[in-house]
Amino acid sequence: MTIVSNLDLIRRVPLFSDLTSTQTSVLYANIGKKRFKRGENIVEEGRISGTLYMILSGRARVLLQDHRGREVIMATLEVGDCIGEMSLIDGEPHSATVRAEVQTDVLTLDREAFLNSLRENSSMAESVMRGLVRRLRKADKQIESLALMDVYGRVQAVLVDMAETDAEDHMVLRQKVSRQDVAKMVGASREMVSRVMKHFEEDGTLVERADGSFVLTPRSQHAD
């Protein structure tokens, strides 16, 4: 890969979008690229990798284990998201496992270069903080959901998070929803999630369209 293409890849990462040309060139010397296969762990809970990963393509999941040893999906990371920044900042082991959901390409940056970049560029430090706060807010919502909502409410909250808004302002689920994945997100069995989803289809919360997508109407929005 040429120097130009690597510099272009760096500029594609939101974390580095405000760096000057000089700062980007300095950073380039410390940037690597790595590919993870589907199902491969990018980082592992309890271990220290000493590396920041920035997703260029693909998708990854943040996973924890509950008290029974079952996997719980805490978040899904997309293109532009960073992995491992908390561990790099405090020097502690990773607090969760991050696994490639599909083939995933990442840029890599070691801890020393990452910390030096933070010290030298306030906009990059702000970007890291915004990303961490966004993830923390999402975790807070998930904790609130698990503590205060029944399974129906938790499943609906996950579906709302997955949905996109179309041109007619409908909430639409365009991809097939994995019952097993939803179960891992809400802390319930796959069988329970299947019953909830079936009930949503029966009561009009989920309506399938001709193209195979589903329109989602949250239960609180149903007409009396």
Side-chain angles (χ1 to χ4, degrees), residues 140-165:
D140 285 344
K141 287 178 63 178
Q142 197 162 3
I143 292 169
E144 180 183 14
S145 168
L146 290 171
L148 302 178
M149 295 182 184
D150 61 13
V151 177
Y152 285 82
R154 299 202 298 269
V155 171
Q156 177 174 283
V158 167
L159 296 179
V160 168
D161 194 46
M162 289 180 172
E164 304 172 8
T165 302

